[in-house]
């Protein structure tokens, strides 16, 4: 096809060949359109251009799924506010989707559109659930027509597709083309005319009628790369479309369909490495939203950890399983999404939390909560297997779901409709599972199941349930049950640790635990004491528990999410929400209490030692602390109170004390707390107030082990309690440390190290 015929009737053309900058030129009118992108003017990181990637011809533009879009500015005089009618329209574009739209309110994630649904005018080309796609037009007279891709011809993720949509009113037909071939058509009345939505913006990457989510996020945004967008005022023929497809293949791709390297389209953490609030030695997604890390497993020399993830943006929405891998539980690598909702009857609406264990051959398997809103209940327990033996997949990137649920909730099996977060383990007697739920009228419960073959499961009743009358804060439902062996106590009695996360009316959403005995015969748990305990005394910053017995070391390790404690507006501006807590080793102490400590491997992140002192007064210690500053530090501190009844350490302190956060112990109240009343002057940040909980030192000095990682604060006290919180100072000089007390005290010892990031830091 000649260049002349290709351009005949070409109204608008975005080659996306700029490669840099925040503009894209529409080459027919030479209008330079602004590209909307969250980091064009960033508040917390370095401002940067929208992300340009290799296209099929030159460059392409990457749309991030929540903030990137183009609103085309028509030249003055080109827009007639009277309704216009068009007898033909063709759209051609190369797209490589990165994620699919969930389909909230039945709307498409728009590739390009200019339509007014109230008046049923205009046109829309976009994607829907699981890669299906559609071309829709409003006809003269108010008739809205839709043409959909057939089953099996969805647009694949992370791959290029050439799509064309043709409206031919004269012939009375609409057609869809995929990679140069017609795949769908629909008849219209002959001599139909498309009614232009002249009072509406032409948007690329954003739907003209985007739904709002949580009042801050626009849904139905395109996620992926786009290239070579052309809009014609005539109906392209099948021959022209096939020729256009072949021309790109021959001119730019060596005659074969263009390939796209995963590294070119994956979520990129680079723009966030300089975010002054984003933790850099805690595990986090490359970008966007995460919730609890879960399903830890060790296999073939590597640790795998998965996490709840929305790849479309930094908000709670379309749930996938993100995936990290590590050799040391400290330095993690990002891997592709492990499990995603698919067009099936198993989990089309979300892949919710679960766990990992081994099959009969010792290969890893994943158990997950399958979300299917077309089923009742809409939650069941499902299984996915690694392709390790088939594909030689050392990083366990690829997983295949078992086609049907393994455990489906029945009436009388917990609170109907609340049935999620399987925790599965295997021992010499078979496979066992806990599922989070509750007992009607009684409170939260961990339901127990057993299997001899991992596929067929028998309900054994509640492993343990709450007394909601005595402990109303344990709520009506439990999520994320975890059961770990702790070994024998001094009397030789085997003990286990049971962790739960209460939700629902009246629930305190924290991680509660009991130490007790497991009755293996009856699959029941007998706690040493009925009242639950807290590992962490922060307020909703240490949640979402998961755990494993490390086959390499025998340690019992738990993982958590560190909630972000920010407004949705700030999460939008930041491009990320939440991160993992540090991995913790838990064990049974000699005194029968639960011991907790960060894993020793974290010492590999230590950089320069900034301070080491012994037996100093408060004033002497602070004199030496004057030159120690940082927002990525490890601090070990032991304090012996003299006359002081309240004492601790100020972190993230400005030189004038205008902003600071105080971690302190109250001798009279036996309370370990954080005071965030002066943490930030930023008017949009939420963090503030005083929060904490009980800590019995029983005559010991206060021994703090603190990890400071930008906005993350994790403080471990005497190996008994942690306090996890968030700090978002507004001033960039909030980097200081200061020992504090309301009387005399002795700093018995203090050591401070710089900490190194686990992600590669490079300038944008």
């Amino acid at each position: 096809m000649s260049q002349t015929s290709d351009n005949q009737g070409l109204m608008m053309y975005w080659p996306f060949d700029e490669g840099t900058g925040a503009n894209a030129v529409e080459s027919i009118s030479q209008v330079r359109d602004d590209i909307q992108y969250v980091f064009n003017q960033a508040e917390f990181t370095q401002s940067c251009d929208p992300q340009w990637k290799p296209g099929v011809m030159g460059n392409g533009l990457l749309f991030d799924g929540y903030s990137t879009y183009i609103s085309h500015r028509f030249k003055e005089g080109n827009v007639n506010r009277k309704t216009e009618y068009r007898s033909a329209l063709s759209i051609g574009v190369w797209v490589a989707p990165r994620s699919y739209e969930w389909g909230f309110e039945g709307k498409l994630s728009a590739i390009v559109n200019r339509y007014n649904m109230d008046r049923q005018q205009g046109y829309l080309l976009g994607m829907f659930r699981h890669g299906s796609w559609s071309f829709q037009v409003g006809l003269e007279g108010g008739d809205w027509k839709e043409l959909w891709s057939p089953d099996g011809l969805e647009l694949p993720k992370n791959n290029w597709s050439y799509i064309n949509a043709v409206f031919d009113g004269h012939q009375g037909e609409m057609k869809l083309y995929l990679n140069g071939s017609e795949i769908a058509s629909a008849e219209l009345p002959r001599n139909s005319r498309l009614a232009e939505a002249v009072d509406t913006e032409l948007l690329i990457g954003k739907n003209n009628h985007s739904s709002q989510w949580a009042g801050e996020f626009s849904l139905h945004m395109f996620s992926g790369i786009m290239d070579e967008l052309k809009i014609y005022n005539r109906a392209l023929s099948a021959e022209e479309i096939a020729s256009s497809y072949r021309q790109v293949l021959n001119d730019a791709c060596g005659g074969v369909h263009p390939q796209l390297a995963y590294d070119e389209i994956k979520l990129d953490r680079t723009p966030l490495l300089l975010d002054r609030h984003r933790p850099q030695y805690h595990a986090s997604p490359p970008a966007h939203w995460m919730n609890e890390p879960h399903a830890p497993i060790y296999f073939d020399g590597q640790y795998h950890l998965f996490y709840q993830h929305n790849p479309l943006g930094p908000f709670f929405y379309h749930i996938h399983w993100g995936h990290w891998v590590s050799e040391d539980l400290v330095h993690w690598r990002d891997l592709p999404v492990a499990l995603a909702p698919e067009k099936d009857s198993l989990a089309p609406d979300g892949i919710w939390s679960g766990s990992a264990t081994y099959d009969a051959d010792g290969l890893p398997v994943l158990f997950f909560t399958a979300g299917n809103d077309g089923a009742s209940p809409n939650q069941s327990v499902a299984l996915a297997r690694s392709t390790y033996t088939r594909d030689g997949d050392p990083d366990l990137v690829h997983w295949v779901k078992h086609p049907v649920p393994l455990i489906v909730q029945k009436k009388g099996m917990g609170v109907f409709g609340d049935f999620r977060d399987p925790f599965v383990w295997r021992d010499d007697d078979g496979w066992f599972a806990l599922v989070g739920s509750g007992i009607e009228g009684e409170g939260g419960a961990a339901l127990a199941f057993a299997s001899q073959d991992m596929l067929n499961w028998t309900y054994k009743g509640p492993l343990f349930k709450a007394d909601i009358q005595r402990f109303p804060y344990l709520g009506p439902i439990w999520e994320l049950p975890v059961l770990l062996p702790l070994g024998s106590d001094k009397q030789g009695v085997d003990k286990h640790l049971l962790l739960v996360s209460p939700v629902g009316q009246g629930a305190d959403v924290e991680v509660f635990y009991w130490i007790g005995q497991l009755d293996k015969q009856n699959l029941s748990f007998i706690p040493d004491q009925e009242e639950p305990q807290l590992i962490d005394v922060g307020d909703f910053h240490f949640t979402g528990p998961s755990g494993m017995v490390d086959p390499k070391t025998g340690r019992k390790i738990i993982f958590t999410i560190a909630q972000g404690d920010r407004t949705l507006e700030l999460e939008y501006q930041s491009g990320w929400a939440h991160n993992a807590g540090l991995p913790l080793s838990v064990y049974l102490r000699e005194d029968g209490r639960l011991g907790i400590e960060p894993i020793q491997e974290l010492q590999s992140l230590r950089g320069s030692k900034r301070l080491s002192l012994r037996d100093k007064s408060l004033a002497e210690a602070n004199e030496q602390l004057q030159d120690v500053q940082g927002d990525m530090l490890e601090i070990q501190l032991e304090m012996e109170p003299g006359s002081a009844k309240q004492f601790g350490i100020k972190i993230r302190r400005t030189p004038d004390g205008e902003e600071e956060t105080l971690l302190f112990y109250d001798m009279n109240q036996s309370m370990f707390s954080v005071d965030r009343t002066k943490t930030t002057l930023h008017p949009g940040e939420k963090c503030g107030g005083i929060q904490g909980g009980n800590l019995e030192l029983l005559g010991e000095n206060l021994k703090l082990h603190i990890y400071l990682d930008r906005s993350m604060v994790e403080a471990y006290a005497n190996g008994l309690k942690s306090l996890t919180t968030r700090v978002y100072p507004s001033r960039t000089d909030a980097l200081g440390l200061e020992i504090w007390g309301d009387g005399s005290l002795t700093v018995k010892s203090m050591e401070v190290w710089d900490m190194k990031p686990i992600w590669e830091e490079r300038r944008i």
Side-chain angles (χ1 to χ4, degrees), residues 646-687:
Q646 290 186 336
F647 53 94
I649 181 172
K650 295 177 179 179
I651 58 174
R652 297 304 306 267
R653 185 178 189 274
T654 57
D656 58 6
E658 187 179 35
E659 288 185 338
E660 62 186 18
T661 297
L662 171 64
L663 293 160
F664 70 100
Y665 187 71
D666 186 314
M667 296 278 289
N668 292 330
Q669 301 292 326
S670 296
M671 291 279 289
F672 180 38
S673 303
V674 60
D675 184 343
R676 299 189 302 170
T677 54
K678 294 175 65 178
T679 288
T680 184
L681 298 173
H682 192 292
E685 298 287 5
K686 292 167 58 179
C687 57

Side-chain angles (χ1 to χ4, degrees), residues 698-717:
L698 304 180
E700 292 184 8
N701 289 337
L702 179 66
K703 301 173 184 177
L704 296 181
H705 194 172
I706 301 167
Y707 289 89
L708 175 59
D709 189 5
R710 296 192 178 166
S711 66
M712 272 295 296
V713 180
E714 293 182 60
Y716 299 89

Side-chain angles (χ1 to χ4, degrees), residues 284-409:
S284 61
H288 297 175
W289 182 91
M290 73 166 283
N291 209 34
E292 60 265 13
H294 52 73
I297 194 165
Y298 182 76
F299 180 73
D300 199 19
Q302 297 191 117
Y303 296 93
H304 296 262
L305 187 60
F306 303 84
Y307 56 94
Q308 295 282 269
H309 181 42
N310 174 23
L312 289 169
F315 58 103
F316 175 76
Y317 190 55
H318 197 26
I319 305 302
H320 297 55
W321 274 34
H323 186 186
W324 302 302
V325 66
S326 173
E327 295 181 359
D328 62 0
L329 289 170
V330 174
H331 299 85
W332 298 93
R333 287 189 290 120
D334 294 312
L335 293 179
V337 164
L339 298 176
E342 294 181 88
K343 192 174 186 176
D344 56 29
S345 59
L346 180 68
D349 295 297
I351 310 289
W352 299 81
S353 288
S355 60
T357 189
Y358 305 95
D359 68 11
D361 297 319
L363 297 174
V365 289
L366 305 180
F367 284 82
F368 61 94
T369 307
N372 181 0
D373 291 340
S376 180
N378 66 353
Q379 305 162 22
S380 61
V381 175
L383 169 75
R385 296 178 183 271
S386 166
T387 63
Y388 175 81
T389 54
R390 187 185 73 193
D391 299 336
D393 179 11
D395 283 342
L396 306 183
V397 170
H398 303 290
W399 299 84
V400 177
K401 297 170 191 157
H402 191 70
V404 296
L406 298 189
I407 308 177
V408 177
Q409 187 184 28

Side-chain angles (χ1 to χ4, degrees), residues 607-624:
S608 300
K609 194 167 193 177
R610 303 292 300 279
L611 181 73
S612 181
L613 57 82
R614 296 284 184 277
D615 296 316
K616 301 293 183 183
S617 69
L618 185 151
E620 291 171 331
N622 283 332
E623 177 71 24
Q624 294 193 34

